[in-house]
Amino acid sequence: MPRPAILNREAFETAFQNLGAAPLTLAVLDLDHFKELNDRLGHAEGDRALRDVERLLSGSLPSGSSVGRIGGDEYAALLPETAAETALILLDEVIKHFHIHRDPHWPKSLGLSVGLAARPAHASEYADLYRAADEALLRAKREGRGRACIYVESKMVLKSNYYPKSQLERLAKLSGALGRTEASLLREALDDLIEKNRGAL
């Protein structure tokens, strides 16, 4: 069976949109200490490592998955109809395989870190889901690299002296109607506020 093509960023986002509202897990991954490989052994070896990652991803993920190169040494994968916990097991295997089979001349620190977020559990829209997966990726790196982490939403403490009860009730109702978390709606409102007042920053 031919391996799926590695999509560019735009084609990958289109692949996401083409899945409609189907449940899926988005994985965001990159190479740990990739700069060290480039600096020590040159960009040709760096390119070889990236090709290894691409072959591993396109050959290891379930049928129907999409893989995209988002930029530099960062990749993303869409796993339709796959729960985040199932994706975690799968990506753990990918990480281990890369670690075991990487070129012995490459730095020992070179590895893969992965962040995972699921639709609809963590977000519905691409930008929100990508942000959640990226936060999980950063946590994987903070916790020691060479691992996969599922997004865990930080619980926001909503103080009643900041938010009247009527506003919180409306936020909860909107969250249910849109199928999005309250935190993602508040982040969107904050992003809009910052963008609107960018000139003051």
Side-chain angles (χ1 to χ4, degrees):
M1 193 168 100
R3 294 171 182 267
I6 304 297
L7 307 173
N8 62 26
R9 182 194 290 264
E10 293 75 19
F12 185 78
E13 289 185 26
T14 300
F16 177 89
Q17 303 302 338
N18 288 343
L19 289 168
L24 58 84
T25 292
L26 171 66
V28 175
L29 57 151
D30 72 15
L31 280 157
D32 301 319
H33 302 294
F34 183 62
K35 185 176 184 300
E36 184 186 343
L37 171 65
N38 275 334
D39 290 348
R40 278 177 52 185
L41 299 176
H43 289 280
E45 280 300 292
D47 289 344
R48 196 159 71 83
L50 294 177
R51 286 195 299 274
D52 273 11
V53 170
E54 291 176 4
R55 276 195 299 272
L56 179 57
L57 289 173
S58 63
S60 304
L61 299 182
S63 174
S65 300
S66 299
V67 179
R69 185 175 179 186
I70 304 304
D73 64 324
E74 187 171 309
Y75 291 86
L78 292 171
L79 289 77
E81 304 294 341
T82 305
E85 293 76 15
T86 306
L88 180 68
I89 295 165
L90 184 61
L91 269 301
D92 269 337
E93 288 301 312
V94 167
I95 290 166
K96 284 177 193 157
H97 183 94
F98 181 81
H99 183 79
I100 292 165
H101 297 283
R102 68 187 169 189
D103 190 304
H105 298 102
W106 292 345
K108 290 195 177 357
S109 58
L110 189 74
L112 284 174
S113 290
V114 182
L116 301 162
R119 180 173 73 184
H122 302 129
S124 298
E125 298 303 316
Y126 180 79
D128 293 331
L129 198 64
Y130 188 89
R131 184 186 291 138
D134 198 46
E135 281 182 33
L137 171 63
L138 292 175
R139 183 161 62 88
K141 289 185 176 291
R142 281 197 306 270
E143 292 180 2
R145 303 176 189 266
R147 66 195 64 212
C149 285
I150 297 173
Y151 174 68
V152 178
E153 186 163 22
S154 350
K155 298 295 178 193
M156 298 181 72
V157 181
L158 301 177
K159 306 239 181 237
S160 58
N161 57 327
Y162 299 150
Y163 301 95
K165 187 179 175 190
S166 61
Q167 278 190 323
L168 294 179
E169 287 171 351
R170 289 169 73 192
L171 178 63
K173 190 173 179 183
L174 185 61
S175 168
L178 297 177
R180 293 176 57 187
T181 63
E182 293 179 18
S184 76
L185 291 171
L186 288 170
R187 275 197 304 268
E188 182 183 307
L190 185 58
D191 287 345
D192 288 347
L193 179 66
I194 291 168
E195 189 58 40
K196 183 179 166 188
N197 296 284
R198 186 170 292 281
L201 298 176

